[in-house]
Amino acid sequence: MAAETSWLIKGGRVIDPANGRDETADVWIQEGRIMEVGRPEVPGDCRIIDADGLVVAPGLVDMHVHLREPGYEYKGTIASGTLSAAAGGVTSVAAMPNTRPVTDDPSVVGHVLEKARVGGFVNVFPIGAITKGLKGVELTEFGLMLEAGCVAFSDDGATVADTGVMRRALEYARAFGALLIQHAEDPSLVSGGCMNEGVTSSRLGLPGIPAESESIMVDRDIRLVQLTGGRYHVAHLSTAGALEAVAGAQAKGLAVTCEVAPHHFSLTEEAVNGYDTYAKMAPPLRSEFDRNALLEGLARGTVTAIATDHAPHDEDSKKVEFCCAANGVVGLETLLPVSLELVSGGVMTLSSCLSLMTWKPARLLGIRRGELTPGFAADVVLFDLNEGWQVDSNRLHGSARNTPFHGRRVRGRVKKTLVGGRIVFEEGQ
Amino acid sequence: MATAMKANLWNRKHLLSMRDIGRGEILSILDTAASFREVNHRDIKKVPTLRGKTIINLFYENSTRTRTSFELAGKRMSADVINMSVASSSVKKGETLIDTLATLQAMNPDVVVVRHSESGAQEFLARNLNAAIINAGDGRHAHPTQALLDILTIHDHLPIMGREDFQGLKVAICGDILHSRVARSNAQGLATMGAQVRFVGPPTLMPSKVEEAFNVKVFHHMEEGIEGVNVVMMLRLQQERMAKAYIPSVREYFHYWGLTRKRLALASETAIVMHPGPMNRGVEIASEVADDLERSVILEQVANGLAIRMAVLYRLCTPGSRS
């Protein structure tokens, strides 16, 4: 590969929200780093990428991804997951720790990083578990895990339900300035539910999960943040109530942030009609009321990141009765076009939208990514803002097909993805 | 109205729920059932209608009544009926549902009658297999043949209620609505027929946003709920609901939501009492009401179940009958 090559990405619409840039310009890359953006004088051997008619932006940063490796390679691997990321214009992924073994020990962090270095297509930043084995009892070695390369901590998929343990976690994390990411669902309110509780669950006869299962947990955690002064982030926030709690905490100046997933702001519980297991996830798709609240939260800036919760599954885990099906959907390859619906729908500007997928999550995780600032790694995505296409679950690049967006007409197509100055994805290749 | 027109309306491969079944289709099934009812009163209770057809009863949940009803329905029409009972837990442990059905599919049955503990299991099967699927109860979602037999039973009693049709008929469905597929299918079917349906029961046993979901009126007190109604439909209460904190005790449940003679007196004078069975005497219904042949039509429901299932099997097995 041409890692050492110089590139001039020429004549594109360069949008770099971190630097407030949106203009036609050239991007000069050398030795894997951004050299200059504008009208740089480049050396003669610099190869040209023609970006005429394309948007040139920092590679996307997805702070919530499941790579399944180690332990669930039949669902997905670091290689297949990062290939899917590259195809979606995502150059950095934060990998959740619910693997087998759980990423609750520096040695597992090392293993993930090594696998990513050897076989990965994009940057992988491991998220460590908050508690050993995701059991919600004993804290992991936050300090040593950070030194090993973790960027945050989460028991994602398994809420830290014990209030005392969550308090200690938030307190202890302060010593290292670590970010705690909570999958906020009160397990006793989830109680066997498999979709949002409401009209649709009643009609379908499926056990429902009330929206309060999320907001109650977020309310509790915010009180603990107030008590402890920890840094707290709500994973895949899905309800109006939880969003209101986050906004309230932010107004008080607390270090409380949240992310939302494209499926939560673009789909509702109605997608479950027909018992489509590709529409089964945790937290579940919510009501139109909640969806509108998420759009408002995105517009107002309460939401810090758009993250996919990319969760590949083997077909056997999905081709079963609805309640028995595994939770989760893939999202890396639909992240950009579905998020661009926020722009076409007038919710936010293109630059704000890209902020939520670039520098904002990067800074939250404390990683130097998501910007076209000189000196930064040359992670770049080139996409055609207007090209329409139809999502086809059979034509995804990853190993899994479980997308709730199958058949959706979308706009915005990734043409090239560069990671550290190296082309890792090219449309049609 | 032309019978031919009614018949034309029944043109579906599966019977999965009452949700999208129109009034004309329901009336047409009632007609067919009425004609089969006569067979069940003959000396020799058998007709050759479905000779050469294969029906598989696949029951993932125990149900002697419904299974026997489908079995007998098939046999009285000369179909080959095979019963398979599968413990529900085996779904999660061993063979998957779709594998079991694929195995059965290889035997090329005409109809597979399925009962399953998971809502939507039959829709999943209908999407993935070729046989006609009849939903004999899925989770808390639907039990369409029960709704059809209940509608037939009510239909039989319309004359004594002084009515010509279901328009404006008041039906109270009482008890554990939350976990009841019978309540859901009846609410949909009866509404299609023009009846006004009420749900009566404790708030913990009501589905979320139930008025909006089923277009019903909700009552938490039996006295208000059954006042002036033409039909009182009681539902079985699973005794384990106490352990999960839905209700405090059987004693309290019967005290407030049990159907007693005194409460029944609040309903219309000609009101009938229904129950899908099996009953919990002294839990949701007092014995004196259950056994009151003036009011209780519970055994008629069972007889009508057979006729309805014959009608449904006939319609799904014989495409010719669709036109």
Side-chain angles (χ1 to χ4, degrees), chain A residues 197-208 273-277 287 316 318-324, chain B residues 19 91-92 96-98 116 118-121 123-124 127-128 138 140-141 184 188 207-209 212-214:
Chain A
E197 182 173 298
V199 172
T200 308
S201 70
S202 290
R203 285 193 185 133
L204 293 177
L206 290 171
N273 276 316
Y275 300 94
D276 181 3
T277 57
S287 66
D316 287 348
K318 285 290 192 182
K319 217 169 176 184
V320 291
E321 304 87 311
F322 190 84
C323 269
C324 306
Chain B
R19 194 166 179 183
V91 178
K92 279 166 193 161
T96 60
L97 178 59
I98 196 155
H116 200 282
E118 291 292 344
S119 301
E123 293 205 17
F124 168 74
R127 263 204 311 273
N128 287 288
D138 64 324
R140 43 175 97 167
H141 172 229
R184 284 174 171 77
Q188 286 165 348
S208 174
K209 302 196 174 159
E212 199 187 327
F214 298 101

Side-chain angles (χ1 to χ4, degrees), chain B:
Chain B
M1 223 169 53
T3 354
M5 206 182 135
K6 285 181 198 169
N8 267 334
L9 290 169
W10 189 264
N11 189 19
R12 56 181 66 242
K13 183 177 173 190
H14 310 290
L15 178 61
L16 299 176
S17 82
M18 293 299 291
R19 194 166 179 183
D20 57 346
I21 298 195
R23 193 166 163 271
E25 280 180 294
I26 295 174
L27 286 172
S28 128
I29 269 291
L30 298 190
D31 273 359
T32 312
S35 66
F36 279 122
R37 195 143 56 173
E38 177 265 326
V39 173
N40 294 322
H41 290 98
R42 287 186 196 166
D43 204 16
I44 293 170
K45 303 176 183 62
K46 201 156 181 120
V47 288
T49 321
L50 296 187
R51 196 159 58 196
K53 301 287 181 185
T54 305
I55 298 164
I56 297 179
N57 277 333
L58 181 68
F59 276 61
Y60 280 88
E61 264 186 0
N62 290 329
S63 163
T64 312
R65 294 160 169 262
T66 306
R67 189 187 53 74
T68 308
S69 183
F70 270 107
E71 183 178 355
L72 205 51
K75 286 182 170 165
R76 288 203 171 159
M77 292 189 293
S78 305
D80 297 315
V81 184
I82 292 150
N83 290 315
M84 283 190 61
S85 295
V86 195
S88 220
S89 59
S90 75
V91 178
K92 279 166 193 161
K93 286 186 214 155
E95 191 173 53
T96 60
L97 178 59
I98 196 155
D99 284 338
T100 309
L101 260 284
T103 305
L104 297 179
Q105 179 65 47
M107 301 171 196
N108 201 20
D110 297 279
V111 181
V112 183
V113 179
V114 188
R115 167 161 294 194
H116 200 282
S117 59
E118 291 292 344
S119 301
Q122 283 83 336
E123 293 205 17
F124 168 74
L125 294 171
R127 263 204 311 273
N128 287 288
L129 295 157
N130 294 325
I133 305 282
I134 297 179
N135 184 355
D138 64 324
R140 43 175 97 167
H141 172 229
H143 193 358
T145 57
Q146 178 73 42
L148 289 168
L149 74 88
D150 288 339
I151 290 168
L152 174 59
T153 308
I154 296 170
H155 185 262
D156 290 343
H157 286 266
L158 289 176
I160 59 156
M161 297 173 190
R163 291 173 174 275
E164 286 187 356
D165 57 28
F166 285 75
Q167 215 58 48
L169 188 83
K170 290 190 185 119
V171 182
I173 305 179
C174 311
D176 182 0
I177 311 286
L178 177 64
H179 299 96
S180 177
R181 51 199 173 210
V182 175
R184 284 174 171 77
S185 281
N186 264 299
Q188 286 165 348
L190 286 165
T192 304
M193 296 305 292
Q196 293 171 7
V197 179
R198 305 167 169 199
F199 282 169
V200 188
T204 45
L205 295 177
M206 283 294 161
S208 174
K209 302 196 174 159
V210 61
E211 286 102 337
E212 199 187 327
F214 298 101
N215 193 24
V216 294
K217 262 190 172 168
V218 171
F219 296 87
H220 297 308
H221 297 285
M222 276 295 268
E223 288 75 10
E224 284 174 56
I226 64 175
E227 193 179 350
V229 300
N230 306 101
V231 178
V232 183
M233 190 180 289
M234 299 308 296
L235 300 173
R236 178 177 171 81
L237 181 81
Q238 304 285 345
Q239 310 248 359
E240 67 261 27
R241 301 297 173 222
M242 269 74 73
K244 292 201 173 161
Y246 286 105
I247 50 165
S249 71
V250 164
R251 178 173 73 172
E252 175 148 320
Y253 184 81
F254 185 71
H255 185 78
Y256 290 102
W257 292 284
L259 184 63
T260 58
R261 194 181 287 283
K262 194 173 158 211
R263 287 213 172 100
L264 183 56
L266 299 168
S268 153
E269 227 174 289
T270 53
I272 56 171
V273 173
M274 307 179 79
H275 194 298
M279 284 181 284
N280 286 307
R281 291 165 183 264
V283 178
E284 68 263 354
I285 190 165
S287 276
E288 55 176 4
V289 176
D291 299 334
D292 179 355
L293 294 180
E294 293 285 301
R295 316 300 292 274
S296 164
V297 297
I298 295 167
L299 293 175
E300 292 173 41
Q301 287 173 271
V302 177
N304 285 334
L306 185 55
I308 284 289
R309 282 158 190 141
M310 289 171 85
V312 169
L313 285 170
Y314 171 70
R315 289 305 184 109
L316 295 186
C317 272
T318 51
S321 75
R322 293 175 192 165
S323 53

Side-chain angles (χ1 to χ4, degrees), chain A residues 188-203:
Chain A
S188 68
L189 282 175
V190 172
S191 179
C194 56
M195 72 169 294
N196 187 50
E197 182 173 298
V199 172
T200 308
S201 70
S202 290
R203 285 193 185 133

Side-chain angles (χ1 to χ4, degrees), chain A residues 102 104 129-140 155 160 165:
Chain A
V102 171
D104 60 359
I130 294 174
T131 65
K132 290 175 189 161
L134 308 173
K135 292 201 172 89
V137 182
E138 294 174 78
L139 299 186
T140 59
D155 276 3
V160 181
V165 171

